[in-house]
Amino acid sequence: MTLTRGQLLRDLYVAYYDARRHKAMRAYVRHWDADLKDNMEQLCDDLLSGSYKPLPSKCFIVEYPKKREIFAAMFRDRIVHHLYFNYTHGLFERTFIQDSYSCIKGRGTHYGINRVVDFCRKESLNWQRPCYGMHLDIRGYFMHIVRKRLLEIAITSIRKMASHRISKGSPKTWNDVLDVDFICWLTEVIILLDPRVNCIMVGDPSDWIGLDPAKSMLHLADGLGLPIGNLTSQLFSNVYLNLLDQYIKRVLKCKYYGRYVDDGIIVSSNKEWLLSLVPQIQMFLKAELGLDLHMGKLQVSDVHKGIEFLGAFIKPYRTYVSRRTLERIEKKLLEFDFRKPKKIIRSVNSYLGIFQHTASYNIRRSLFLKPEYLKIGVFDTEMTKIKDKHLFFNSFNLQNYEQSIRKESGLQPHFRGCKPHRHWLRKEEGYRQEPVRVV
């Protein structure tokens, strides 16, 4: 397929709406929207002619959940990142193993936790025999990706998958729906970009104090590192480590293995066999990808005593919130400004969304069943959601008013979410209940 200008422009508009989602009121989005048509057509022409060059990124430090250096692309380049993601994520995902959990729709952290629980249950014969989980972590992963090696892996995957069918039931191949030459050119432009060149430093230089130099692109050798903060970096992180996934699954024959970005786990009932895998994995990472295992974080844990993975603490028959996750949440709760109740309700609901996937009812009660939260909202019976107090009671009063009107009119009341009791009678107009005769 050869990409036409009209098709590229339509795809760019789809990417534009993806990039501006939840950011429509930001200054940089409004600046782009002020001359939207000309900006989009100019970007389309730059891409089609091959003259597109990314603009300098903004570099700054974030402190939560831990100190990181972020390189944020300009909005124009974010549109291109979404365009590239929309074109290629389906193709790349066909090459991934099932237990690659990050940046894939429907396969996030909760999916990964449930898969590891399933691994432990099967390998321990339903928790009846000893079972162990070995945690793997890669030292400074994003900062030590070799960009030329990543480009080689990505181009090879695209060329190889181009002749494959899109899905089992589709007669079309990726060549029929993608301009492979254009995709390969754009892959090279995005991967080989050095975000340090002419970058805009945001914040005070003292913000970098305390950041490990190994986790800063400003201190790395040329050709290393992907900028944390770009959508494409998340996708390419999976593409790069897909080689490791295939090696562990196909060569080392690890049946129960999963990975979320650089955080992996292997489950087995044989502790000695797990430890024997470490030198082989270390050699493969060094030789093929130029990476190293973080030996300080490598550990083998007994499943019956509990293993931590993706913010959850897994034990037989139940899953808890990990201590580190709970400590971070408690720290954020202390920063709440109760003069902004709507913002607090959104934040509390996000935390309750994490808690409801674990055995944490008592934790939810101890954290949120307090006067300051009850003044602004109403919790459901299971403490899985909080609603704005005024909206809840307005809805409640409206429902009661509606039911009273129907009752006065002799109509059947609505039963929302529950079945009517036997003593509730149907009193539709023209209906009369016959008396019960005792024989």
Side-chain angles (χ1 to χ4, degrees):
M1 170 189 171
T2 301
L3 192 63
T4 64
R5 187 180 187 277
Q7 181 62 49
L8 178 58
L9 189 59
R10 285 193 295 271
D11 295 339
L12 272 173
Y13 270 101
V14 173
Y16 158 73
Y17 284 110
D18 290 339
R20 81 192 291 271
R21 187 178 293 124
H22 307 305
K23 300 179 178 67
M25 301 308 294
R26 299 287 180 90
Y28 55 81
V29 177
R30 299 176 73 175
H31 178 73
W32 180 268
D33 289 351
D35 198 7
L36 178 62
K37 183 180 178 181
D38 291 343
N39 287 336
M40 295 297 287
E41 290 185 352
Q42 181 62 49
L43 180 57
C44 179
D45 293 337
D46 289 346
L47 288 168
L48 209 57
S49 64
S51 60
Y52 165 77
K53 298 293 182 185
L55 297 175
S57 300
K58 290 184 178 181
C59 179
F60 55 93
I61 295 292
V62 297
E63 301 286 346
Y64 182 82
K66 59 182 179 181
K67 199 162 193 173
R68 294 183 188 276
E69 180 185 72
I70 305 296
F71 281 86
M74 295 299 179
F75 185 67
R76 163 181 173 269
D77 299 324
R78 294 186 204 178
I79 296 174
V80 176
H81 294 168
H82 278 275
L83 175 76
Y84 183 84
F85 182 84
N86 293 341
Y87 279 156
T88 62
H89 78 93
L91 182 149
F92 283 129
E93 286 171 17
R94 291 292 304 277
T95 68
F96 298 159
I97 64 172
Q98 182 183 357
D99 292 294
S100 178
Y101 307 129
S102 67
C103 201
I104 301 175
K105 188 175 182 179
R107 284 156 60 179
T109 54
H110 298 308
Y111 175 84
I113 293 168
N114 291 334
R115 287 286 293 175
V116 172
V117 171
D118 196 42
F119 292 166
C120 297
R121 183 180 57 80
K122 289 180 178 179
E123 186 65 12
S124 64
L125 300 181
N126 203 23
W127 316 108
Q128 299 303 309
R129 71 174 180 180
C131 182
Y132 305 92
M134 183 170 71
H135 296 260
L136 303 174
D137 192 271
I138 297 174
R139 184 185 299 274
Y141 174 50
F142 277 93
M143 298 298 110
H144 292 86
I145 291 176
V146 183
R147 290 201 288 269
K148 287 188 177 180
R149 178 62 174 143
L150 170 60
L151 177 62
E152 179 186 341
I153 295 170
I155 296 295
T156 302
S157 297
I158 293 170
R159 296 288 185 189
K160 181 180 178 181
M161 291 295 294
S163 58
H164 288 227
R165 289 185 298 173
I166 297 175
S167 60
K168 291 182 179 180
S170 174
K172 293 184 177 180
T173 65
W174 290 105
N175 262 327
D176 298 329
V177 297
L178 293 178
D179 187 336
V180 175
D181 292 332
F182 174 78
I183 295 297
C184 290
W185 167 78
L186 191 55
T187 304
E188 182 176 354
V189 170
I190 294 174
I191 290 179
L192 295 185
L193 170 70
D194 188 347
R196 300 174 300 179
V197 177
N198 299 324
C199 70
I200 303 169
M201 306 295 290
V202 179
D204 194 86
S206 62
D207 295 342
W208 274 258
I209 297 176
L211 180 67
D212 186 353
K215 294 187 177 182
S216 172
M217 292 193 68
L218 301 176
H219 298 88
L220 295 180
D222 293 340
L224 290 181
L226 284 182
I228 297 176
N230 290 349
L231 175 64
T232 50
S233 297
Q234 301 175 45
L235 177 63
F236 288 138
S237 69
N238 276 340
V239 173
Y240 200 61
L241 280 186
N242 187 45
L243 288 186
L244 175 65
D245 298 339
Q246 302 295 339
Y247 175 74
I248 291 178
K249 295 288 283 189
R250 299 177 184 273
V251 179
L252 300 183
K253 306 296 182 182
C254 299
K255 185 177 181 180
Y256 299 122
Y257 162 76
R259 178 184 59 81
Y260 186 92
V261 194
D262 61 337
D263 188 9
I265 188 169
I266 305 175
V267 177
S268 174
S269 59
N270 190 332
K271 187 175 182 180
E272 289 72 23
W273 178 75
L274 286 175
L275 293 174
S276 70
L277 299 176
V278 176
Q280 301 176 67
I281 295 174
Q282 179 78 330
M283 289 176 59
F284 178 86
L285 283 173
K286 194 68 177 176
E288 296 293 329
L289 302 174
L291 301 172
D292 291 303
L293 281 179
H294 196 309
M295 300 306 292
K297 293 184 178 180
L298 190 144
Q299 58 179 341
V300 179
S301 306
D302 188 339
V303 169
H304 291 82
K305 295 180 180 179
I307 59 174
E308 186 177 342
F309 186 64
L310 301 183
F313 192 71
I314 301 167
K315 297 191 76 174
Y317 304 108
R318 69 269 194 204
T319 303
Y320 301 113
V321 178
S322 70
R323 187 181 299 276
R324 285 187 296 178
T325 302
L326 185 58
E327 288 175 353
R328 284 200 293 263
I329 291 175
E330 289 175 339
K331 185 177 179 181
K332 293 297 290 185
L333 294 181
L334 296 176
E335 301 173 4
F336 275 180
D337 183 0
F338 284 90
R339 293 173 297 180
K340 301 176 180 178
K342 291 185 178 180
K343 183 177 180 180
I344 291 177
I345 287 175
R346 290 195 297 267
S347 298
V348 170
N349 277 326
S350 70
Y351 295 139
L352 292 176
I354 296 172
F355 283 130
Q356 67 179 325
H357 293 274
T358 61
S360 58
Y361 178 71
N362 289 333
I363 293 176
R364 281 175 267 164
R365 286 179 59 89
S366 65
L367 288 178
F368 301 115
L369 206 58
K370 296 178 179 179
E372 53 265 33
Y373 295 104
L374 297 177
K375 287 179 181 178
I376 62 173
V378 178
F379 292 94
D380 61 5
T381 55
E382 297 297 324
M383 295 283 292
T384 59
K385 192 172 184 180
I386 182 174
K387 295 184 179 180
D388 184 278
K389 189 174 182 178
H390 300 291
L391 294 178
F392 174 82
F393 283 110
N394 286 343
S395 174
F396 185 75
N397 292 334
L398 180 62
Q399 180 180 343
N400 283 346
Y401 176 73
E402 179 187 353
Q403 298 288 43
S404 64
I405 293 298
R406 292 182 65 84
K407 185 176 180 181
E408 292 173 3
S409 304
L411 300 176
Q412 181 185 10
H414 287 304
F415 302 109
R416 300 173 185 266
C418 63
K419 294 182 179 179
H421 292 294
R422 286 178 295 176
H423 63 274
W424 287 346
L425 302 179
R426 180 180 178 86
K427 294 183 179 180
E428 296 289 357
E429 186 175 355
Y431 174 81
R432 184 173 63 87
Q433 182 184 19
E434 295 292 337
V436 179
R437 297 184 178 181
V438 180
V439 179

